[in-house]
Amino acid sequence: MKVIAQIKLPVEKEMELFEKKFFESMSSKVALLNRITHYIVNRKGKQMRPMFVFLVAKMVSGGNVNERTYRGASVIELIHTATLVHDDVVDDSNRRRGFFSINALWKNKIAVLVGDYLLSKGLLLSIDNNDFDLLKIISVAVREMSEGELLQIEKARRLDITEAVYYDIIRQKTATLIAACCSLGAASVKPESNEIAKMRRFGELIGMAFQIKDDLFDYGEEQIGKPTGIDIKEQKMTLPLIYTLNNCDPKEKKWIINSVKNHNKDKSRVREVITFVKNNGGLDYAVGRMKEFQKEALSMLQDYPQSPYRDSLELMVNYVIERKK
């Protein structure tokens, strides 16, 4: 059985019902919108985020979910989908998960409006049901994701990024959404409990490990559908590169910065940088940090009694760093 199917097992019934509710939450009186949202729903990915919501809710409550849990999962998926639609416009990307992106099929203007529509649908789903605690969790995530992206753009221009700033960027850009899923799961079944902050931290740790794993793919030989060196070409400062820059002599540092700034389209130069990073411990260091985040996340699960939900979350934490794409 595939790992994702195994992770999903204890919440399979919930996920089936969620899909129906999620589709309903997108409906509109505008035929064009319904056509586009139908296209989005039929090309869904692994749906890790709603899975986090349901697994955490069931783990902290001893196996219970309620309508708020479904709404929390729908809201996070609506907001996440909105950000993906907008990202494709910003990145001028024509593909998403192997399919045409919304902007490729319906042009940028429609894609931006669809993203705005999904965002407002998510907010209204919470407001209409007085889920203000859930709305706050989501809104913080959206704010942090925007700040993280902008911080990364600002730093990429100067290439003056420290390890601490890098963690700030990935915490906001990637980890905050997984943190929101986990805290939403807890808040839906145990409002105003200390489980909410605890599960937020748990999700944050998984998100940090997840992003470092993504950074490592840029240096790997594995076929993941994205060519190696793409982060360097885009002047993204990732952990293996930051570590190497901080641990080489001034002459080498100058060569790396010059390569990333002025020769990032030169394939052989990019390959040289990748080899240099590998040979100078950049990958080993990043793997070590990723495993520290993984270990801390796993240790947090030990506070809960053994259950199929806890087992699935453990599987999820391990899957994040062992995945091949």
Side-chain angles (χ1 to χ4, degrees):
M1 187 187 272
K2 279 192 168 169
V3 182
I4 297 293
Q6 213 176 327
I7 292 167
K8 199 176 182 177
L9 261 181
V11 289
E12 213 161 20
K13 285 210 296 283
E14 286 81 3
M15 289 296 289
E16 274 175 34
L17 183 53
F18 158 74
E19 283 189 27
K20 289 195 189 84
K21 287 176 182 281
F22 178 56
F23 187 59
E24 283 164 17
S25 69
M26 280 186 168
S27 68
S28 154
K29 293 188 175 74
V30 180
L32 173 63
L33 249 175
N34 285 334
R35 202 156 70 239
I36 296 170
T37 53
H38 192 264
Y39 179 82
I40 291 169
V41 168
N42 286 341
R43 279 146 196 81
K44 60 182 182 291
K46 300 186 191 83
Q47 292 193 304
M48 306 283 270
R49 285 157 201 86
M51 261 189 265
F52 271 122
V53 176
F54 290 115
L55 287 169
V56 167
K58 293 190 108 175
M59 180 182 74
V60 302
S61 68
N64 300 318
V65 296
N66 54 34
E67 280 303 315
R68 270 164 55 87
T69 318
Y70 285 100
R71 288 198 295 270
S74 291
V75 170
I76 205 93
E77 203 63 352
L78 282 164
I79 305 279
H80 174 59
T81 308
T83 61
L84 293 184
V85 172
H86 282 166
D87 279 354
D88 287 339
V89 174
V90 171
D91 298 338
D92 203 14
S93 171
N94 289 325
R95 311 288 289 185
R96 167 71 60 186
R97 298 182 184 127
F99 296 100
F100 282 116
S101 58
I102 304 300
N103 49 302
L105 292 172
W106 285 281
K107 301 289 179 278
N108 283 352
K109 184 177 181 178
I110 289 177
V112 170
L113 293 168
V114 168
D116 290 347
Y117 172 77
L118 295 173
L119 192 64
S120 64
K121 273 294 215 184
L123 302 177
L124 284 167
L125 185 59
S126 294
I127 293 165
D128 291 345
N129 292 284
N130 293 327
D131 296 330
F132 297 111
D133 56 336
L134 305 187
L135 182 59
K136 187 172 182 181
I137 292 170
I138 308 272
S139 302
V140 167
V142 174
R143 184 197 72 205
E144 291 199 328
M145 282 157 67
S146 311
E147 284 178 345
E149 287 284 356
L150 288 162
L151 180 60
Q152 185 172 47
I153 291 166
E154 180 194 331
K155 292 298 177 183
R157 285 181 179 156
R158 298 206 297 267
L159 301 186
D160 62 345
I161 190 166
T162 61
E163 199 173 321
V165 169
Y166 166 80
Y167 292 133
D168 268 350
I169 290 170
I170 68 166
R171 186 184 55 75
Q172 292 182 308
K173 212 182 83 149
T174 305
T176 193
L177 195 64
I178 300 175
C181 296
C182 296
S183 52
L184 271 176
S188 72
V189 289
K190 286 193 160 184
E192 295 179 37
S193 69
N194 59 3
E195 309 289 347
I196 300 166
K198 196 170 171 181
M199 285 296 102
R200 178 180 171 77
R201 175 63 184 156
F202 170 71
E204 203 170 79
L205 291 163
I206 297 173
M208 303 288 270
F210 182 92
Q211 186 57 56
I212 296 172
K213 179 69 175 178
D214 255 17
D215 292 352
L216 287 163
F217 283 139
D218 207 47
Y219 294 86
E221 281 75 43
E222 292 168 53
Q223 288 302 305
I224 56 148
K226 130 173 173 178
T228 54
I230 205 127
D231 289 338
I232 294 169
K233 289 188 187 97
E234 291 176 2
Q235 297 190 357
K236 278 185 190 158
M237 299 292 282
T238 59
L239 190 53
L241 191 60
I242 293 163
Y243 173 83
T244 308
L245 275 172
N246 292 337
N247 291 277
C248 61
D249 65 47
K251 194 178 163 193
E252 290 166 331
K253 187 172 182 172
K254 198 175 169 188
W255 173 79
I256 294 175
I257 287 177
N258 183 29
S259 302
V260 175
K261 260 194 169 162
N262 305 314
H263 303 280
N264 54 11
K265 303 285 185 278
D266 177 340
K267 281 183 182 167
S268 66
R269 186 77 171 254
V270 169
R271 266 199 304 273
E272 280 176 51
V273 173
I274 288 174
T275 305
F276 186 82
V277 170
K278 283 180 179 174
N279 293 343
N280 285 271
L283 295 200
D284 294 338
Y285 180 77
V287 168
R289 292 296 288 136
M290 176 179 74
K291 287 188 170 165
E292 282 171 32
F293 287 122
Q294 175 208 22
K295 198 174 159 192
E296 195 184 330
L298 287 173
S299 74
M300 288 184 80
L301 291 176
Q302 299 313 306
D303 297 346
Y304 296 91
Q306 200 276 324
S307 69
Y309 322 115
R310 194 187 88 175
D311 292 349
S312 273
L313 286 166
E314 279 177 10
L315 256 180
M316 185 88 96
V317 175
N318 293 326
Y319 166 75
V320 157
I321 74 160
E322 285 159 12
R323 66 201 163 98
K324 297 285 183 268
K325 62 178 179 180

